[in-house]
Amino acid sequence: MALSGGFLHVVKTEMLNLGLIGARVEKIHQPSREEIVLSLHTHGGAQKLLFSANPATARVCLTSRTPENPPVPPMFCQLLRKKLCGGRLIEIAQDGLERIIFFRFQCRNEIGDEEFITLSIEIMGRSSNLILLLQKGPELRIIDAIKRVTDEVSSVRRVLPGLLYELPPRENRLSLLSFSQVEFEQKLQNFSSEKLHKVLIKIFEGICPLFAREAAFRASGDTDVAVSDIDSEKIIRLVEFMRLASVSLSEKPTPVMLSDTENKPCAFAFIDIKQYGTEGITVQHFNSANALIDCFYHERAELNRIAQRAGSMLKTLNNRYERVLRKIDARRSDLAACAAREKFRKWGEMINANLYRLKSGAESLTAHDYESGEEVVIPLDTRLAPAKNAQKYYAEYKRLQNAEKALADLIKDSEQELIYLESVLDAASRAVTDSDLLEIKRELIETGYLRGNATTANSKNSKKPKQEKPAEPLKFRSTDGELILVGRNNRQNDALTLKTAKPDEIWLHAKDYAGSHVVIKSAKPSEKTLQEAAQIAAYCSKARTSSRVPIDYTQIRYVKKPAGAKPGMVIFTHNKTLYVTPSEEVFEGLKI
């Protein structure tokens, strides 16, 4: 769902009420290509201001989260630091109820002269942008933008350094904050044959489809009502609702977030939503519009960012996975053909037994199979002597015998590689931070699946890469108070199982599924702890959407790593198996 101009007005008003005016810019980070985070020092304490120009998650809000940042700041981030660090925020302004907000800063340039810099966030779907502007008299000149717009991108409006800043084209629509009933009714008459909720979006600026459907519902009891079905009584109810929304915007907003039947956030609004009744949609009220936006978009933004960064790596892994599958199929076909080797051995023996009957140049030998007693016709090579034909069939038997053993070993190796690739794909699918992806990338470089240097996998530009401390395993506390550790990827699985865990502690893993190694930091955990750890192991595996997942468990002393095995690959004995259903509730509830 896109952020509407009306909700953006509530976000801006909150920022003003929290005392952001006068705040000093202390730090600036760019955690991803289309996101900027400004760390501000206000009279009330530190605040972080997040700007996103990503089409799927475009927004501006205060955030309490600390995103991971690349070791080397991008060029736009360096420019913002040069221009804004040390400056003071002196104004936050919105263009009506359009989805554009201006943050105006009072700064000092390199020689100490005062200058006014504006950071403009434009939330417009694919055209979303973050633009840095310099005020020169009444004009605003573009210093740069997080996404430059050339003639090839847009013939209507260019966004390039040095150009005069112009507002995007806008339609002549009414504002919820200041409209008259007469104006509204006049515009409404022009759309008598259309659905009311679609018409409201054309008439009013700053509203979203959810709000428009709510207005139609409040007026008529039907979200899909047509304008032609709206009588004078419904017009009055509609105008009353719009007036109520105006008060919500300026004085008493009611930020609400809607979640679907799977408890996933799907929409939000600045006024209470009643159109869904008891259809399974959950309405959650927030005290802060900024907190709502931060919560709603965070998971979506993280998954989108991780997916972008993991894209090429996952493509390489999937291609390799498909190639190994094809290789296994081909080798199994060749192995099946090796079953005919006994026929060639018997043919060789039968030729030797009938040499006295054969003459040079014979095309075939008809003889009785000494095992089945059936008559068999054996083809002969006319260019070879009878004894040489026997040797030829013996040689073919020996070749197939050797091939069978080699193919069996090759298939076993390929199946082990398949298991390893599944484990990496599973870890990548559960990666939630850049550090998670970086560790997986290093692992793939070390094992030869990706090109590059594992020590510089974090940056192409750093001359002396900083050796980052590996991320710690996920930590959980069972209901009975026992500590449970979970590896995030194969490298962590090895470290957790082979180095961190003690011999008498309990090790768990999903049986026959790729997944994380799980360790209970106790020699004798309770049945409750064992059950919870098994549920976590099932959830952190490829079987997370299944039920009754088998989980093997044993003591660490019985878990070994074979020589030459790939990361995360172990063998174990003395194990028992229990069956559990993966639980996100247990996973989230016990995490520490």
Side-chain angles (χ1 to χ4, degrees):
M1 176 182 172
L3 182 59
S4 69
F7 204 99
L8 200 57
H9 177 84
V10 177
V11 169
K12 179 206 73 173
T13 303
E14 273 189 13
M15 291 178 181
L16 294 173
N17 293 338
L18 287 170
L20 255 63
I21 299 301
R24 186 177 70 253
V25 181
E26 292 192 324
K27 296 179 182 178
I28 301 175
H29 296 287
Q30 187 172 351
S32 66
R33 189 168 61 90
E34 297 170 317
E35 282 186 354
I36 293 292
V37 177
L38 268 59
S39 295
L40 306 175
H41 179 75
T42 72
H43 293 296
Q47 295 280 7
K48 288 196 286 290
L49 191 55
L50 170 66
F51 299 85
S52 173
N54 185 296
T57 59
R59 68 198 185 280
V60 58
C61 66
L62 294 171
T63 180
S64 58
R65 307 176 194 278
T66 304
E68 292 187 55
N69 298 294
V72 178
M75 292 298 294
F76 189 68
C77 179
Q78 295 182 42
L79 176 63
L80 289 178
R81 289 177 178 177
K82 177 181 177 182
K83 293 293 184 181
L84 294 181
C85 276
R88 290 192 177 276
L89 180 62
I90 59 174
E91 184 183 11
I92 305 176
Q94 185 177 9
D95 179 23
L97 287 182
E98 292 294 319
R99 293 181 294 171
I100 302 174
I101 293 192
F102 301 97
F103 292 81
R104 191 165 177 248
F105 298 88
Q106 184 181 21
C107 308
R108 295 280 177 183
N109 60 21
E110 297 90 334
I111 59 175
D113 292 338
E114 184 180 76
E115 60 183 10
F116 295 95
I117 305 291
T118 297
L119 196 55
S120 169
I121 176 73
E122 300 179 352
I123 300 171
M124 301 182 298
R126 292 184 178 180
S127 301
S128 297
N129 210 343
L130 184 61
I131 307 172
L132 189 64
L133 308 167
L134 174 64
Q135 183 174 344
K136 289 190 174 181
E139 295 181 343
L140 287 173
R141 290 277 172 183
I142 299 172
I143 301 174
D144 208 344
I146 204 165
K147 292 188 283 189
R148 295 182 179 181
V149 181
T150 62
D151 289 326
E152 289 76 16
V153 177
S154 173
S155 59
V156 178
R157 178 173 178 254
R158 295 185 301 161
V159 180
L160 294 170
L163 295 183
L164 185 66
Y165 176 77
E166 298 177 352
L167 286 169
R170 61 186 297 178
E171 299 175 13
N172 182 23
R173 294 183 292 176
L174 300 179
S175 170
L176 275 178
L177 296 173
S178 58
F179 75 96
S180 69
Q181 184 172 340
V182 174
E183 286 179 306
F184 174 49
E185 290 185 8
Q186 286 176 347
K187 285 184 176 290
L188 203 59
Q189 291 173 0
N190 299 325
F191 304 97
S192 59
S193 62
E194 298 184 36
K195 300 291 185 183
L196 177 60
H197 67 89
K198 293 182 178 180
V199 171
L200 291 176
I201 294 175
K202 296 177 181 178
I203 293 177
F204 287 96
E205 68 175 4
I207 68 172
C208 63
L210 175 65
F211 177 90
R213 290 194 302 273
E214 183 68 17
F217 177 78
R218 297 288 186 96
S220 67
D222 182 6
T223 59
D224 227 23
V225 66
V227 175
S228 57
D229 295 330
I230 298 295
D231 56 24
S232 57
E233 184 180 346
K234 292 175 180 176
I235 285 284
I236 293 172
R237 288 204 295 268
L238 183 58
V239 172
E240 285 178 353
F241 176 76
M242 292 298 187
R243 299 292 187 202
L244 176 65
S246 177
V247 173
S248 292
L249 272 176
S250 54
E251 299 175 18
K252 297 179 180 179
T254 309
V256 295
M257 182 169 73
L258 279 63
S259 301
D260 60 21
T261 53
E262 296 180 355
N263 205 32
K264 294 180 180 178
C266 57
F268 56 87
F270 58 84
I271 195 167
D272 212 355
I273 300 297
K274 301 183 181 299
Q275 59 186 276
Y276 294 103
T278 58
E279 290 183 11
I281 297 293
T282 305
V283 179
Q284 180 182 358
H285 291 78
F286 279 74
N287 293 325
S288 163
N290 280 272
L292 187 155
I293 294 299
D294 193 32
C295 174
F296 183 88
Y297 282 110
H298 171 70
E299 184 176 350
R300 185 182 298 185
E302 281 297 299
L303 292 176
N304 183 57
R305 184 159 62 90
I306 293 299
Q308 285 182 347
R309 296 198 174 188
S312 60
M313 182 173 69
L314 290 174
K315 183 178 179 181
T316 300
L317 287 174
N318 280 312
N319 288 343
R320 184 62 177 261
Y321 187 87
E322 294 296 328
R323 192 159 63 245
V324 174
L325 276 177
R326 291 194 297 270
K327 193 184 295 183
I328 289 175
D329 288 341
R331 286 172 175 170
R332 282 177 177 163
S333 297
D334 292 341
L335 184 62
C338 292
R341 70 186 186 281
E342 288 299 322
K343 175 183 71 174
F344 297 115
R345 180 183 61 80
K346 279 205 280 185
W347 285 4
E349 291 176 350
M350 291 166 69
I351 292 172
N352 278 336
N354 290 276
L355 284 176
Y356 68 95
R357 298 172 48 202
L358 289 172
K359 296 180 180 180
S360 296
E363 294 182 354
S364 64
L365 167 66
T366 301
H368 287 281
D369 186 332
Y370 53 84
E371 289 184 354
S372 66
E374 296 177 353
E375 194 172 76
V376 177
V377 178
I378 303 172
L380 299 175
D381 188 337
T382 57
R383 297 169 298 175
L384 300 177
K388 292 290 185 183
N389 272 284
Q391 292 174 11
K392 172 188 171 184
Y393 283 124
Y394 280 133
E396 182 64 11
Y397 164 76
K398 192 65 177 177
R399 184 187 72 80
L400 291 176
Q401 187 180 47
N402 293 335
E404 183 179 51
K405 184 178 183 306
L407 285 168
D409 291 340
L410 289 172
I411 290 172
K412 183 179 178 181
D413 291 344
S414 295
E415 287 174 340
Q416 288 298 312
E417 183 179 11
L418 215 57
I419 293 171
Y420 173 70
L421 290 172
E422 284 180 349
S423 72
V424 180
L425 285 167
D426 175 66
S429 71
R430 292 184 283 106
V432 294
T433 67
D434 288 338
S435 292
D436 292 343
L437 280 182
L438 182 58
E439 283 201 43
I440 295 171
K441 185 175 181 180
R442 285 173 175 162
E443 176 188 333
L444 292 172
I445 291 173
E446 288 173 357
T447 51
Y449 287 95
L450 292 179
R451 294 181 180 178
N453 188 328
T455 61
T456 59
N458 59 327
S459 174
K460 294 181 180 178
N461 302 319
S462 56
K463 296 179 182 178
K464 294 183 179 180
K466 181 181 177 181
Q467 290 293 327
E468 296 183 9
K469 183 181 178 181
E472 293 185 350
L474 295 172
K475 295 181 180 179
F476 300 82
R477 184 75 65 184
S478 73
T479 304
D480 294 335
E482 299 288 359
L483 181 63
I484 302 171
L485 302 181
V486 179
R488 299 170 186 259
N489 50 59
N490 285 323
R491 286 160 59 102
Q492 276 197 11
N493 287 340
D494 276 354
L496 174 61
T497 300
L498 305 173
K499 296 180 181 179
T500 304
K502 296 178 181 178
D504 57 350
E505 293 172 347
I506 304 301
W507 179 91
L508 304 95
H509 191 276
K511 181 181 179 68
D512 300 328
Y513 289 100
S516 295
H517 292 196
V518 177
V519 172
I520 304 174
K521 299 293 287 180
S522 170
K524 295 181 179 179
S526 66
E527 287 295 325
K528 179 69 172 175
T529 296
L530 190 62
Q531 183 78 11
E532 289 172 343
Q535 287 179 290
I536 292 170
Y539 188 79
C540 294
S541 76
K542 196 175 180 180
R544 69 159 57 189
T545 58
S546 304
S547 59
R548 284 190 55 78
V549 179
I551 304 295
D552 285 332
Y553 66 97
T554 187
Q555 287 186 317
I556 287 291
R557 60 168 46 89
Y558 300 122
V559 184
K560 308 295 180 185
K561 188 175 186 66
K566 286 184 168 61
M569 302 294 102
V570 295
I571 55 175
F572 52 93
T573 57
H574 297 75
N575 57 291
K576 297 180 181 178
T577 304
L578 55 84
Y579 293 82
V580 298
T581 297
S583 172
E584 183 178 6
E585 183 179 352
V586 170
F587 179 85
E588 295 294 343
L590 300 182
K591 188 186 290 186
I592 58 177

